[in-house]
Amino acid sequence: MAQSTSMEDFEALLNESFEIDTPSEGSVVRGKIIAIEAGQAIIDVGYKMEGRVDLKEFSNPGEAPEIAVGDEVEVYLDRVENARGEAVISRDKARREEAWDRLEKAYAEDSRVEGAIFGRVKGGFTVDLGGAVAFLPGSQVDVRPVRDAGPLMGLKQPFQILKMDRRRGNIVVSRRAILEESRAEQRAEIIGKLNEGDAVDGVVKNITEYGAFVDLGGVDGLLHVTDMAWRRVNHPSEILSIGETVKVQVIKINKETHRISLGMKQLQADPWDSVERKFPLGTVHKGRVTNITDYGAFVELEPGVEGLVHVSEMSWTKKNVHPGKIVSTSQEVDVMVLEIDTAKRRVSLGLKQTMRNPWEVFSETHPIGTEVEGEVKNITEFGLFIGLDNDIDGMVHLSDLSWDQRGEEAIQDYRKGDMVRAVVTEVDTDKERISLSVKALEGDPFAEAVGGVKRGSIITVTVTAIEDGGIEVEYEGMKSFIRRSDLSRDRSEQRPERFQVGDHVDVRVTNIDTKTRRLGLSIKAREIAEEKEAVEQYGSSDSGASLGDILGAALKGEDR
């Protein structure tokens, strides 16, 4: 009985020792290197089982294996092949299992892991994290895009695990997160030492259209193009180059975003402080055209001081022309200071004020009555515009085209481009207006005809036509019309038919209208005037003498 019991105990102990000495497949076991041959390590994994592992599995990519006979190593037991007494083992799988355990712990604790970039794949790189292979996206290599990742290959460095999935065997890591973190700490430290208003040295790292990034020793500040100089800077590359050391002033520090604004012009004297002293109102200065817009041109008086010549102050004569047709960029011009607003940092300049008003010059050189000649520039409903010297125009009104024709008829004889002679009749320098007359070239026939005639004069006219309403008469070539009611004082004699064409008739001038160029004539007025004169000469009709007596006496007096 005792013997049987001891047999059972022995069996139980034997089974137990088998369980202890025989590791289960699919687990990591500890073994001992008993030999190294033919590029392999022979490892005793216990219970008289040996396995072979390629030496390359004991090294990191690009490194030589550091193992020797007698070293204890952990390997992964794939399966036990009892028939041959060998075990299929893998150091890689052991390392991977070990690594995954370690990495999952690091991921949970959000701690960094060490690794080395060893290969390039689409969209990024492969990283060995001590047994597990991770993917490093291209965007996560550095803070700024990296063109050549060669110098980073094989270097042991820290990484941050962004994502991992053990079932799929995926790990995504970032090098950029580590850099940003240390950079943020570095920035915070440097920014803590900076104060607004400090003047510091920096190195130009990058140049853009709107400014330059300056490295202040681990932290970048933006030097905006408008803060580089008091003068206009079209592109930062005009005054800066990459790698150049510059002195800048800290204008503003944003403690939350760690953004730093820098300035260079703030370290120089503001030219606007002396503008009023250097450029008094009404003075003329030389300047350079820096920019041209639809509304005018900017002229630099000195570096940092620009003034605007408004389009209305550019030319006396070119009113509706783009400023680019009058001046060009970089051209040197003489300008007059018209207005200064130091608060708004604005100077109003005038270009035309440096030249004489062409209307004043014309007035001096062409007194009223001067004959001029010019080309018809434009024809409007109220007259002709004639081009004169210095790009100015004179206007011939419809009424100044002809003595005989109506203006609307006379203007039909003119075409654009015709050369026309005229006489200056008025120059208004304030309104910039010159009045011309074509008809004044010839003497005024009306004025000549009525030169000695005044209101009340008695003149002799010739009847040229008989009409129902009166008679048409002519005096020195000037036609006039005597209405029926003016043909006689006596109503019975107010008959046009009692006259004949060619009759000479004495009439009294009642009106001289130079505008309509007409004489007002009346036979009736002549008769009344003669009667009045006779009454004054020979007595009042109240004394009893009749008109016949008076006229009779007058006639007798004339006969004597």
Side-chain angles (χ1 to χ4, degrees):
M1 188 74 181
Q3 192 179 2
S4 65
T5 305
S6 61
M7 280 294 290
E8 284 174 6
D9 290 343
F10 179 71
E11 255 180 62
L13 285 169
L14 190 60
N15 289 335
E16 195 179 312
S17 71
F18 270 135
E19 284 171 14
I20 292 166
D21 293 342
T22 309
S24 56
E25 292 180 350
S27 65
V28 176
V29 296
R30 182 166 281 279
K32 192 174 189 179
I33 298 174
I34 55 174
I36 295 174
E37 58 184 45
Q40 290 183 322
I42 300 168
I43 302 168
D44 179 5
V45 292
Y47 197 61
K48 295 183 181 179
M49 279 196 298
E50 295 171 3
R52 291 171 182 270
V53 177
D54 287 343
L55 288 180
K56 66 182 180 184
E57 291 192 28
F58 288 92
S59 65
N60 289 322
E63 294 178 12
E66 292 181 7
I67 57 162
V69 174
D71 286 355
E72 285 196 352
V73 292
E74 285 186 341
V75 290
Y76 183 84
L77 181 61
D78 239 352
R79 61 184 184 277
V80 178
E81 294 184 347
N82 289 325
R84 294 174 57 194
E86 278 198 357
V88 179
I89 58 176
S90 165
R91 172 63 184 155
D92 273 352
K93 285 186 179 178
R95 287 177 76 216
R96 199 174 300 130
E97 292 296 316
E98 180 190 320
W100 272 93
D101 291 342
R102 176 171 48 81
L103 294 173
E104 281 183 335
K105 188 180 177 190
Y107 183 51
E109 292 172 357
D110 199 25
S111 59
R112 300 172 182 186
V113 293
E114 196 174 69
I117 301 170
F118 69 90
R120 192 186 296 271
V121 292
K122 187 179 179 183
F125 303 88
T126 49
V127 178
D128 176 34
L129 298 177
V133 176
F135 174 61
L136 172 65
S139 62
Q140 295 298 323
V141 176
D142 207 327
V143 177
R144 290 195 178 90
V146 174
R147 288 182 183 175
D148 180 20
L152 299 173
M153 296 291 241
L155 286 178
K156 281 199 172 177
Q157 53 193 315
F159 292 89
Q160 189 82 34
I161 300 172
L162 299 182
K163 197 165 60 173
M164 65 189 299
D165 184 337
R166 189 161 188 164
R167 188 171 57 81
R168 292 184 177 180
N170 286 346
I171 306 174
V172 180
V173 292
S174 170
R175 177 174 175 268
R176 175 180 172 172
I178 306 287
L179 295 175
E180 281 182 342
E181 194 177 313
S182 59
R183 198 158 168 261
E185 289 169 7
Q186 192 181 15
R187 282 175 70 92
E189 187 182 339
I190 295 167
I191 288 169
K193 293 176 185 174
L194 289 175
N195 294 303
E196 289 180 6
D198 286 357
V200 292
D201 287 326
V203 178
V204 179
K205 282 184 73 175
N206 193 20
I207 291 176
T208 68
E209 281 188 13
Y210 54 85
F213 288 95
V214 179
D215 183 0
L216 304 178
V219 58
D220 288 355
L222 174 63
L223 172 59
H224 198 270
V225 65
T226 55
D227 288 310
M228 289 182 180
W230 290 108
R231 68 176 177 85
R232 182 192 293 268
V233 178
N234 293 316
H235 195 279
S237 57
E238 288 177 19
I239 53 175
L240 294 176
S241 55
I242 291 174
E244 182 185 352
T245 300
V246 290
K247 188 166 277 299
V248 288
Q249 186 179 76
V250 178
I251 299 172
K252 192 176 180 186
I253 300 173
N254 188 321
K255 300 288 184 185
E256 292 175 11
T257 61
H258 287 179
R259 281 187 182 165
I260 303 170
S261 298
L262 304 172
M264 280 172 68
K265 72 180 184 183
Q266 287 77 4
L267 296 170
Q268 302 153 5
D270 185 350
W272 279 91
D273 293 343
S274 56
V275 164
E276 288 182 333
R277 180 172 52 80
K278 281 187 179 178
F279 306 102
L281 297 181
T283 55
V284 176
H285 303 269
K286 267 208 185 310
R288 186 177 60 86
V289 178
T290 55
N291 194 25
I292 295 172
T293 67
D294 288 341
Y295 53 85
F298 287 91
V299 175
E300 185 182 65
L301 297 174
E302 68 171 11
V305 178
E306 277 185 352
L308 172 67
V309 181
H310 193 267
V311 65
S312 62
E313 305 295 351
M314 299 200 85
S315 170
W316 287 108
T317 53
K318 295 169 182 169
K319 301 292 184 187
N320 298 314
V321 177
H322 190 276
K325 296 280 176 77
I326 301 170
V327 293
S328 55
T329 308
S330 298
Q331 181 184 342
E332 274 210 346
V333 290
D334 286 327
V335 286
M336 182 183 280
V337 180
L338 305 180
E339 192 183 337
I340 296 175
D341 188 333
T342 313
K344 291 183 179 175
R345 303 170 79 85
R346 284 183 189 163
V347 177
S348 295
L349 303 172
L351 192 63
K352 71 181 185 184
Q353 286 79 358
T354 61
M355 299 168 262
R356 284 202 67 196
N357 181 334
W359 284 274
E360 284 180 7
V361 175
F362 187 89
S363 177
E364 290 170 13
T365 55
H366 297 79
I368 289 169
T370 307
E371 192 176 307
V372 292
E373 187 174 16
E375 184 184 327
V376 176
K377 296 280 185 182
N378 201 11
I379 300 174
T380 68
E381 58 186 20
F382 46 84
L384 304 175
F385 282 93
I386 311 295
L388 304 171
D389 296 340
N390 298 321
D391 283 334
I392 59 176
D393 290 346
M395 193 190 85
V396 183
H397 194 269
L398 287 177
S399 60
D400 286 310
L401 287 171
S402 171
W403 292 113
D404 308 316
Q405 289 177 286
R406 284 172 57 248
E408 290 79 5
E409 294 169 4
I411 203 167
Q412 302 299 323
D413 297 334
Y414 294 92
R415 296 288 177 271
K416 230 174 169 181
D418 287 355
M419 291 303 289
V420 173
R421 285 168 54 245
V423 171
V424 178
T425 55
E426 186 190 0
V427 180
D428 188 330
T429 53
D430 292 335
K431 292 182 179 175
E432 299 179 351
R433 194 180 292 162
I434 297 168
S435 298
L436 305 174
S437 172
V438 171
K439 70 182 185 184
L441 288 166
E442 303 163 11
D444 182 354
F446 179 79
E448 289 168 11
V450 300
V453 176
K454 296 175 184 171
R455 272 184 74 180
S457 298
I458 306 295
I459 60 174
T460 303
V461 298
T462 304
V463 178
T464 53
I466 311 296
E467 295 177 17
D468 288 344
I471 61 172
E472 186 186 67
V473 297
E474 184 181 73
Y475 175 73
E476 299 286 337
M478 304 299 300
K479 295 278 180 75
S480 291
F481 190 77
I482 305 173
R483 293 173 298 173
R484 180 189 278 266
S485 59
D486 283 313
L487 291 177
S488 174
R489 179 183 175 181
D490 190 345
R491 285 181 69 92
S492 62
E493 292 298 311
Q494 292 174 350
R495 292 175 293 106
E497 58 271 19
R498 73 186 180 89
F499 296 94
Q500 287 186 351
V501 173
D503 284 359
H504 294 291
V505 183
D506 288 345
V507 294
R508 182 183 171 95
V509 178
T510 56
N511 187 31
I512 300 172
D513 192 333
T514 52
K515 283 192 177 177
T516 61
R517 309 175 59 69
R518 292 274 178 180
L519 287 175
L521 305 174
S522 172
I523 299 170
K524 175 182 175 180
R526 189 207 79 210
E527 291 173 348
I528 292 170
E530 285 174 348
E531 180 189 335
K532 187 179 178 188
E533 190 183 333
V535 167
E536 284 174 357
Q537 209 169 349
Y538 298 103
S540 167
S541 56
D542 292 342
S543 63
S546 68
L547 181 59
D549 296 334
I550 294 168
L551 288 175
L555 289 170
K556 280 178 186 175
E558 281 181 11
D559 290 341
R560 266 184 258 137

